[in-house]
Amino acid sequence: MELCVDVRNLWFTYPDGREALRGINLSVSPGEKVALVGPNGAGKSTLLLILAGLLRGQGTVRLFGEPLNDGNLKRMRSRIGLVFQDPDDQLFSPTVFDDVAYGPLYAGLPEEEVKRRVSWALAQMGLEGFAERLSHHLSVGEKKRVAVATVLSMQPEILLLDEPTSGLDPRARRRLIGLLAELRQTMLVATHDMRLVAELLPRTVILDGGRVVADGPTEEILADDVLLENHGLERP
Amino acid sequence: MLFSTTHPTPTPMHIPDGFLSLAVALVGWVVAAVGVGLALWRSREALGERQVPLMGVLAAFIFAAQMLNFTVAGGTSGHLLGGALAAILLGPWAGILTMTTVVAVQALLFQDGGLLVMGANITNMAVIACLVGYGVYRGVRLLVGERRWSLLAGGFAAAWASVVAAAAACAIELGFSGTSPIGVALPAMAGIHALIGIGEGLITVGALALVSRARPDLVEMGRAGSVGGFRWALTGLAVALALTLLSPLASPHPDGLERVAEDLGFIEAAQEAPFEVIPDYVFPGLSNEALATIVAGVVGTIIVFGIAVGVAALYRRRVAVEA
Amino acid sequence: MHIHALDTYCPGTSPIHRLDPRVKLVLTGLFILTAALVPDREWGAFGALEALVLLTILLSSVGLVRVQRRSAVAMPFVLAALTVAFSTPGRVLWRLPLPGIPLTVTDAGLLRFLSIAARSYLSVQAAILLAATTPFPDLLWGMRALRIPRTLVAITGFLYRYLFVLADEARRMLQAREARSGAPDGRGGGSVAWRAQVTGSMAGTLFLRSYERSERIYMAMLARGYDGTVRTLSPPSLRLVDWIVGLLVGMLLAALLLLTFDA
Ligand SMILES: Nc1ncnc2c1ncn2[C@@H]1O[C@H](COP(=O)(O)OP(=O)(O)OP(=O)(O)O)[C@@H](O)[C@H]1O
Ligand SMILES: [Mg+2]
């Protein structure tokens, strides 16, 4: 079976000259759930933005076996769902309904299907009855769940989640982990929440200074105290 | 203590419904439609797909920036209106669009400014403020060169001129509507806003100084997609000139200022007054009518300024109690 | 966290709340237009319009007091229009008791002033009622249905959404300034000019944050398929009730005008 994500020697420099990624190699098979950990500024968010086709670096990025290029960019974006670190960036519409409907609408689906997808995605995240709520009235935890719903409604094959549990209270966090565990999609989760990693994600990739410094089964990596210590991480 | 206002202290700039005649309101809509239509088209050319998110968030920025206030004196506070800042940072067209949506939301959500007269408010605070502000800014930069202090000097002059021009337009509309005689409204509005404009200028300079230090590329962004500075300076000048030419016509009566002075009852009253306040010979050559107009203007300015200060103080106190 | 004071919507399920936003927008516009068309001194017509507004307020369960309190926003302008009372020729009612300043109030001037104030008061009540009974997102699609350019409406939608986020940021900056300035009344030290410039720096910081946020939002839109067009679901069609209410009130207003001009 072909790889979902295949990144070879990926470099990325921000316009102000900051080298955020320095030679990343990473491949992910369909159905894998991978943790992306590392200190602040390691390049996790940047890598996710590149995988979603929103930034372009040097090196090759292959998604579903095809190299990412201008021709297939729009199509690839529709197969990948990215949940941004800050839900206020993700939820840009006045109401929850408008936001969850956004992806399906721009995918050109018929109106009935759009509405069906919205109620399905909201139900998946335990948000029945939230459709008419105003985004700015939601609590942080609700915003995070709506943010995930906005990409679920697109039914993407890969989910890229940037810090899904930050700012959540323990109950909201538990609930979100439970919901994510039930999803079947390939998942790449950038996080500082090591308990989330231990419970949800069988494989872990450590990023530091724009490089992959470790890649392996979560159990093994979490058992290696020296490795964790060196990269500013700790056991759950 | 407090976030002293939930939305800015009212300045006498957002015209409510009822204060403009239907004809003036309609003219306001026509000017606004032309200005906003052009702005939609030109900013679309310059910004492409990014137009909607960029304009939308930056309109919210103007709205939020209007909440940043500073204490002036006696319980009054100054705050930004933003037309010139938007025009300088985003370019005149994008500036007009952001200010238009700000004016619309203020009217629809907070009843700050009327609905039927929204066209006139858009004309004043979006179209005229941005065109005059940007014209003055480019004019100053053309005259003194592209140095850093010319950015700040241009920013100050642009902010001041945009506020005064918008206020003058407001007064002219009130004059044409027969709501407030132009001989009183124009000097009063221009007078107050000449003061408010200083605050506007200082805030604009502070903002431009910070942005030009942190992201010099953004200050130049406003220039992308705009024609040469010379033409903009001329445009600003033309708008200001049009306002000046319109003002004597704005009296509901045919013969302009003189007639206003007469309406005010100044001439007769001056004749029957027990003594002359300002005798003719003090200013040889100045006729009674012209004097009367000026006196009316000064008295009007003081009255309206006093009212504005009083209302602002009351408003502030009320909000402070609520907070 | 949120600045709820920025929300002027008053949740409810009254018949006025349930009326279609397009109908509400059009009727509010027609009402204000009617008030503008009623000639000066037609107190009967002004009274009838006020009765209509009061009835609607009662039906809407928004609260009479609340609407009246908010309608004070037009006050500064009402005072500014006081000048007409002095400037219209007519029978002198009152003379400013200051020697040398020849200002007189005339009967015609006073009536003109009262007419302007009446129009303004009527209109502002209608506008408050519209905002209090219609969620802003509904107003947005109402505007779209009324053929206001889609791009403009889309920008307005973003303004509304991020207004709250940025207002929160602005408030935090003010609080930080007050925490540091030491003066409990927010007066701080320095001259007025200096305070204005500090405020300007805060505005500059807010601008940079907003600009960078708009870039992230643009990416979030692209990630979900944004292609530069504005797309929305088609609005629901008008119900029979909406038609009936719209036509009835519209005809009522027209009749009122006809009667006024006839008399
Ligand atoms: N828009 C930008 N312009 C310039 N530099 C940036 C930008 N965004 C991120 N960077 C820099 O790139 C580097 C990688 O940032 P990135 O956001 O990918 O880190 P991260 O691993 O997600 O960190 P965190 O855990 O704090 O979210 C950092 O040094 C950051 O300062
Ligand atoms: Mg990050």
Side-chain angles (χ1 to χ4, degrees), chain B residues 33-57:
Chain B
V34 172
V36 173
L38 271 175
L40 272 173
W41 169 51
R42 297 301 298 269
S43 73
R44 172 92 207 181
E45 278 186 342
L47 297 168
E49 288 183 356
R50 298 175 60 224
Q51 184 193 32
V52 169
L54 186 64
M55 296 297 87
V57 177

PDB file of all heavy atoms in Angstrom, chain B residues 33-57:
ATOM      1  N   ALA B  33     -21.939  54.924  -2.894  1.00  0.00           N
ATOM      2  CA  ALA B  33     -21.981  53.775  -3.797  1.00  0.00           C
ATOM      3  C   ALA B  33     -20.858  53.851  -4.819  1.00  0.00           C
ATOM      4  O   ALA B  33     -20.186  52.846  -5.101  1.00  0.00           O
ATOM      5  CB  ALA B  33     -23.339  53.705  -4.491  1.00  0.00           C
ATOM      6  N   VAL B  34     -20.631  55.044  -5.360  1.00  0.00           N
ATOM      7  CA  VAL B  34     -19.556  55.192  -6.342  1.00  0.00           C
ATOM      8  C   VAL B  34     -18.198  54.904  -5.679  1.00  0.00           C
ATOM      9  O   VAL B  34     -17.388  54.126  -6.176  1.00  0.00           O
ATOM     10  CB  VAL B  34     -19.561  56.608  -6.955  1.00  0.00           C
ATOM     11  CG1 VAL B  34     -18.326  56.819  -7.822  1.00  0.00           C
ATOM     12  CG2 VAL B  34     -20.832  56.812  -7.773  1.00  0.00           C
ATOM     13  N   GLY B  35     -17.976  55.537  -4.526  1.00  0.00           N
ATOM     14  CA  GLY B  35     -16.704  55.359  -3.823  1.00  0.00           C
ATOM     15  C   GLY B  35     -16.458  53.908  -3.449  1.00  0.00           C
ATOM     16  O   GLY B  35     -15.387  53.363  -3.700  1.00  0.00           O
ATOM     17  N   VAL B  36     -17.473  53.261  -2.863  1.00  0.00           N
ATOM     18  CA  VAL B  36     -17.291  51.888  -2.408  1.00  0.00           C
ATOM     19  C   VAL B  36     -17.178  50.940  -3.595  1.00  0.00           C
ATOM     20  O   VAL B  36     -16.377  49.996  -3.570  1.00  0.00           O
ATOM     21  CB  VAL B  36     -18.453  51.479  -1.479  1.00  0.00           C
ATOM     22  CG1 VAL B  36     -18.370  50.011  -1.128  1.00  0.00           C
ATOM     23  CG2 VAL B  36     -18.419  52.317  -0.212  1.00  0.00           C
ATOM     24  N   GLY B  37     -17.935  51.218  -4.658  1.00  0.00           N
ATOM     25  CA  GLY B  37     -17.836  50.387  -5.850  1.00  0.00           C
ATOM     26  C   GLY B  37     -16.424  50.410  -6.417  1.00  0.00           C
ATOM     27  O   GLY B  37     -15.824  49.364  -6.695  1.00  0.00           O
ATOM     28  N   LEU B  38     -15.874  51.604  -6.562  1.00  0.00           N
ATOM     29  CA  LEU B  38     -14.491  51.743  -7.040  1.00  0.00           C
ATOM     30  C   LEU B  38     -13.531  51.026  -6.102  1.00  0.00           C
ATOM     31  O   LEU B  38     -12.620  50.316  -6.541  1.00  0.00           O
ATOM     32  CB  LEU B  38     -14.099  53.224  -7.087  1.00  0.00           C
ATOM     33  CG  LEU B  38     -14.399  53.981  -8.375  1.00  0.00           C
ATOM     34  CD1 LEU B  38     -14.057  55.450  -8.190  1.00  0.00           C
ATOM     35  CD2 LEU B  38     -13.589  53.385  -9.502  1.00  0.00           C
ATOM     36  N   ALA B  39     -13.761  51.205  -4.787  1.00  0.00           N
ATOM     37  CA  ALA B  39     -12.857  50.617  -3.803  1.00  0.00           C
ATOM     38  C   ALA B  39     -12.894  49.093  -3.876  1.00  0.00           C
ATOM     39  O   ALA B  39     -11.858  48.432  -3.796  1.00  0.00           O
ATOM     40  CB  ALA B  39     -13.227  51.095  -2.401  1.00  0.00           C
ATOM     41  N   LEU B  40     -14.092  48.530  -4.063  1.00  0.00           N
ATOM     42  CA  LEU B  40     -14.213  47.074  -4.171  1.00  0.00           C
ATOM     43  C   LEU B  40     -13.389  46.572  -5.339  1.00  0.00           C
ATOM     44  O   LEU B  40     -12.641  45.602  -5.238  1.00  0.00           O
ATOM     45  CB  LEU B  40     -15.677  46.689  -4.380  1.00  0.00           C
ATOM     46  CG  LEU B  40     -16.524  46.477  -3.131  1.00  0.00           C
ATOM     47  CD1 LEU B  40     -17.974  46.276  -3.523  1.00  0.00           C
ATOM     48  CD2 LEU B  40     -16.023  45.271  -2.353  1.00  0.00           C
ATOM     49  N   TRP B  41     -13.523  47.273  -6.459  1.00  0.00           N
ATOM     50  CA  TRP B  41     -12.891  46.829  -7.680  1.00  0.00           C
ATOM     51  C   TRP B  41     -11.365  46.994  -7.584  1.00  0.00           C
ATOM     52  O   TRP B  41     -10.598  46.055  -7.854  1.00  0.00           O
ATOM     53  CB  TRP B  41     -13.493  47.638  -8.836  1.00  0.00           C
ATOM     54  CG  TRP B  41     -12.794  47.501 -10.134  1.00  0.00           C
ATOM     55  CD1 TRP B  41     -12.466  46.321 -10.756  1.00  0.00           C
ATOM     56  CD2 TRP B  41     -12.338  48.555 -10.986  1.00  0.00           C
ATOM     57  NE1 TRP B  41     -11.837  46.595 -11.940  1.00  0.00           N
ATOM     58  CE2 TRP B  41     -11.741  47.949 -12.112  1.00  0.00           C
ATOM     59  CE3 TRP B  41     -12.403  49.953 -10.904  1.00  0.00           C
ATOM     60  CZ2 TRP B  41     -11.198  48.702 -13.142  1.00  0.00           C
ATOM     61  CZ3 TRP B  41     -11.861  50.697 -11.935  1.00  0.00           C
ATOM     62  CH2 TRP B  41     -11.262  50.066 -13.044  1.00  0.00           C
ATOM     63  N   ARG B  42     -10.909  48.170  -7.137  1.00  0.00           N
ATOM     64  CA  ARG B  42      -9.469  48.413  -7.113  1.00  0.00           C
ATOM     65  C   ARG B  42      -8.755  47.579  -6.055  1.00  0.00           C
ATOM     66  O   ARG B  42      -7.645  47.114  -6.276  1.00  0.00           O
ATOM     67  CB  ARG B  42      -9.178  49.893  -6.883  1.00  0.00           C
ATOM     68  CG  ARG B  42      -9.687  50.812  -7.974  1.00  0.00           C
ATOM     69  CD  ARG B  42      -9.088  50.455  -9.314  1.00  0.00           C
ATOM     70  NE  ARG B  42      -7.645  50.602  -9.354  1.00  0.00           N
ATOM     71  CZ  ARG B  42      -7.016  51.724  -9.715  1.00  0.00           C
ATOM     72  NH1 ARG B  42      -7.713  52.772 -10.074  1.00  0.00           N
ATOM     73  NH2 ARG B  42      -5.707  51.760  -9.710  1.00  0.00           N
ATOM     74  N   SER B  43      -9.386  47.379  -4.893  1.00  0.00           N
ATOM     75  CA  SER B  43      -8.690  46.603  -3.870  1.00  0.00           C
ATOM     76  C   SER B  43      -8.685  45.125  -4.254  1.00  0.00           C
ATOM     77  O   SER B  43      -7.774  44.388  -3.918  1.00  0.00           O
ATOM     78  CB  SER B  43      -9.332  46.805  -2.503  1.00  0.00           C
ATOM     79  OG  SER B  43     -10.565  46.139  -2.435  1.00  0.00           O
ATOM     80  N   ARG B  44      -9.692  44.719  -4.996  1.00  0.00           N
ATOM     81  CA  ARG B  44      -9.717  43.350  -5.489  1.00  0.00           C
ATOM     82  C   ARG B  44      -8.534  43.115  -6.432  1.00  0.00           C
ATOM     83  O   ARG B  44      -7.862  42.094  -6.387  1.00  0.00           O
ATOM     84  CB  ARG B  44     -11.033  43.124  -6.228  1.00  0.00           C
ATOM     85  CG  ARG B  44     -11.149  41.835  -6.956  1.00  0.00           C
ATOM     86  CD  ARG B  44     -11.776  40.821  -6.046  1.00  0.00           C
ATOM     87  NE  ARG B  44     -11.359  39.499  -6.420  1.00  0.00           N
ATOM     88  CZ  ARG B  44     -11.774  38.409  -5.794  1.00  0.00           C
ATOM     89  NH1 ARG B  44     -12.577  38.503  -4.778  1.00  0.00           N
ATOM     90  NH2 ARG B  44     -11.356  37.243  -6.169  1.00  0.00           N
ATOM     91  N   GLU B  45      -8.272  44.103  -7.281  1.00  0.00           N
ATOM     92  CA  GLU B  45      -7.134  43.994  -8.192  1.00  0.00           C
ATOM     93  C   GLU B  45      -5.824  43.901  -7.425  1.00  0.00           C
ATOM     94  O   GLU B  45      -4.923  43.169  -7.802  1.00  0.00           O
ATOM     95  CB  GLU B  45      -7.076  45.229  -9.102  1.00  0.00           C
ATOM     96  CG  GLU B  45      -8.000  45.158 -10.280  1.00  0.00           C
ATOM     97  CD  GLU B  45      -7.782  46.336 -11.197  1.00  0.00           C
ATOM     98  OE1 GLU B  45      -7.191  47.348 -10.776  1.00  0.00           O
ATOM     99  OE2 GLU B  45      -8.203  46.229 -12.361  1.00  0.00           O
ATOM    100  N   ALA B  46      -5.722  44.681  -6.349  1.00  0.00           N
ATOM    101  CA  ALA B  46      -4.453  44.736  -5.621  1.00  0.00           C
ATOM    102  C   ALA B  46      -4.267  43.526  -4.708  1.00  0.00           C
ATOM    103  O   ALA B  46      -3.161  43.036  -4.561  1.00  0.00           O
ATOM    104  CB  ALA B  46      -4.377  46.023  -4.800  1.00  0.00           C
ATOM    105  N   LEU B  47      -5.358  43.032  -4.125  1.00  0.00           N
ATOM    106  CA  LEU B  47      -5.208  42.012  -3.086  1.00  0.00           C
ATOM    107  C   LEU B  47      -5.645  40.623  -3.514  1.00  0.00           C
ATOM    108  O   LEU B  47      -5.274  39.648  -2.876  1.00  0.00           O
ATOM    109  CB  LEU B  47      -6.030  42.424  -1.849  1.00  0.00           C
ATOM    110  CG  LEU B  47      -5.599  43.711  -1.179  1.00  0.00           C
ATOM    111  CD1 LEU B  47      -6.630  44.165  -0.176  1.00  0.00           C
ATOM    112  CD2 LEU B  47      -4.253  43.504  -0.500  1.00  0.00           C
ATOM    113  N   GLY B  48      -6.440  40.522  -4.563  1.00  0.00           N
ATOM    114  CA  GLY B  48      -6.885  39.217  -5.035  1.00  0.00           C
ATOM    115  C   GLY B  48      -7.671  38.469  -3.969  1.00  0.00           C
ATOM    116  O   GLY B  48      -8.490  39.054  -3.260  1.00  0.00           O
ATOM    117  N   GLU B  49      -7.366  37.171  -3.839  1.00  0.00           N
ATOM    118  CA  GLU B  49      -8.107  36.305  -2.914  1.00  0.00           C
ATOM    119  C   GLU B  49      -8.005  36.761  -1.465  1.00  0.00           C
ATOM    120  O   GLU B  49      -8.846  36.428  -0.656  1.00  0.00           O
ATOM    121  CB  GLU B  49      -7.535  34.891  -2.976  1.00  0.00           C
ATOM    122  CG  GLU B  49      -7.858  34.141  -4.228  1.00  0.00           C
ATOM    123  CD  GLU B  49      -7.303  32.726  -4.159  1.00  0.00           C
ATOM    124  OE1 GLU B  49      -6.628  32.412  -3.168  1.00  0.00           O
ATOM    125  OE2 GLU B  49      -7.540  31.964  -5.094  1.00  0.00           O
ATOM    126  N   ARG B  50      -6.930  37.495  -1.152  1.00  0.00           N
ATOM    127  CA  ARG B  50      -6.733  37.860   0.256  1.00  0.00           C
ATOM    128  C   ARG B  50      -7.618  39.026   0.657  1.00  0.00           C
ATOM    129  O   ARG B  50      -7.660  39.394   1.826  1.00  0.00           O
ATOM    130  CB  ARG B  50      -5.269  38.207   0.496  1.00  0.00           C
ATOM    131  CG  ARG B  50      -4.357  37.041   0.229  1.00  0.00           C
ATOM    132  CD  ARG B  50      -2.898  37.441   0.345  1.00  0.00           C
ATOM    133  NE  ARG B  50      -2.599  37.941   1.676  1.00  0.00           N
ATOM    134  CZ  ARG B  50      -1.866  39.011   1.900  1.00  0.00           C
ATOM    135  NH1 ARG B  50      -1.390  39.702   0.895  1.00  0.00           N
ATOM    136  NH2 ARG B  50      -1.614  39.404   3.122  1.00  0.00           N
ATOM    137  N   GLN B  51      -8.321  39.621  -0.307  1.00  0.00           N
ATOM    138  CA  GLN B  51      -9.110  40.807  -0.009  1.00  0.00           C
ATOM    139  C   GLN B  51     -10.056  40.602   1.174  1.00  0.00           C
ATOM    140  O   GLN B  51     -10.042  41.392   2.113  1.00  0.00           O
ATOM    141  CB  GLN B  51      -9.915  41.193  -1.250  1.00  0.00           C
ATOM    142  CG  GLN B  51     -10.703  42.469  -1.095  1.00  0.00           C
ATOM    143  CD  GLN B  51     -11.717  42.634  -2.219  1.00  0.00           C
ATOM    144  OE1 GLN B  51     -12.252  41.677  -2.743  1.00  0.00           O
ATOM    145  NE2 GLN B  51     -11.956  43.863  -2.601  1.00  0.00           N
ATOM    146  N   VAL B  52     -10.847  39.534   1.118  1.00  0.00           N
ATOM    147  CA  VAL B  52     -11.889  39.372   2.135  1.00  0.00           C
ATOM    148  C   VAL B  52     -11.304  39.180   3.540  1.00  0.00           C
ATOM    149  O   VAL B  52     -11.620  39.955   4.446  1.00  0.00           O
ATOM    150  CB  VAL B  52     -12.864  38.240   1.755  1.00  0.00           C
ATOM    151  CG1 VAL B  52     -13.759  37.893   2.929  1.00  0.00           C
ATOM    152  CG2 VAL B  52     -13.692  38.664   0.559  1.00  0.00           C
ATOM    153  N   PRO B  53     -10.411  38.184   3.752  1.00  0.00           N
ATOM    154  CA  PRO B  53      -9.915  38.053   5.124  1.00  0.00           C
ATOM    155  C   PRO B  53      -9.109  39.267   5.588  1.00  0.00           C
ATOM    156  O   PRO B  53      -9.257  39.709   6.737  1.00  0.00           O
ATOM    157  CB  PRO B  53      -9.042  36.793   5.085  1.00  0.00           C
ATOM    158  CG  PRO B  53      -8.762  36.530   3.659  1.00  0.00           C
ATOM    159  CD  PRO B  53      -9.909  37.100   2.892  1.00  0.00           C
ATOM    160  N   LEU B  54      -8.286  39.825   4.722  1.00  0.00           N
ATOM    161  CA  LEU B  54      -7.451  40.954   5.149  1.00  0.00           C
ATOM    162  C   LEU B  54      -8.306  42.171   5.496  1.00  0.00           C
ATOM    163  O   LEU B  54      -8.174  42.757   6.565  1.00  0.00           O
ATOM    164  CB  LEU B  54      -6.447  41.303   4.039  1.00  0.00           C
ATOM    165  CG  LEU B  54      -5.422  42.369   4.406  1.00  0.00           C
ATOM    166  CD1 LEU B  54      -4.525  41.892   5.525  1.00  0.00           C
ATOM    167  CD2 LEU B  54      -4.587  42.762   3.198  1.00  0.00           C
ATOM    168  N   MET B  55      -9.211  42.535   4.585  1.00  0.00           N
ATOM    169  CA  MET B  55     -10.064  43.697   4.853  1.00  0.00           C
ATOM    170  C   MET B  55     -10.923  43.467   6.085  1.00  0.00           C
ATOM    171  O   MET B  55     -11.117  44.360   6.888  1.00  0.00           O
ATOM    172  CB  MET B  55     -10.993  43.974   3.668  1.00  0.00           C
ATOM    173  CG  MET B  55     -10.336  44.364   2.384  1.00  0.00           C
ATOM    174  SD  MET B  55      -9.451  45.899   2.491  1.00  0.00           S
ATOM    175  CE  MET B  55      -7.883  45.334   3.054  1.00  0.00           C
ATOM    176  N   GLY B  56     -11.454  42.255   6.217  1.00  0.00           N
ATOM    177  CA  GLY B  56     -12.363  41.969   7.323  1.00  0.00           C
ATOM    178  C   GLY B  56     -11.664  42.086   8.661  1.00  0.00           C
ATOM    179  O   GLY B  56     -12.160  42.751   9.584  1.00  0.00           O
ATOM    180  N   VAL B  57     -10.495  41.450   8.780  1.00  0.00           N
ATOM    181  CA  VAL B  57      -9.801  41.475  10.072  1.00  0.00           C
ATOM    182  C   VAL B  57      -9.308  42.882  10.358  1.00  0.00           C
ATOM    183  O   VAL B  57      -9.359  43.356  11.497  1.00  0.00           O
ATOM    184  CB  VAL B  57      -8.640  40.459  10.087  1.00  0.00           C
ATOM    185  CG1 VAL B  57      -7.888  40.537  11.396  1.00  0.00           C
ATOM    186  CG2 VAL B  57      -9.170  39.065   9.867  1.00  0.00           C
TER     187      VAL B  57
END
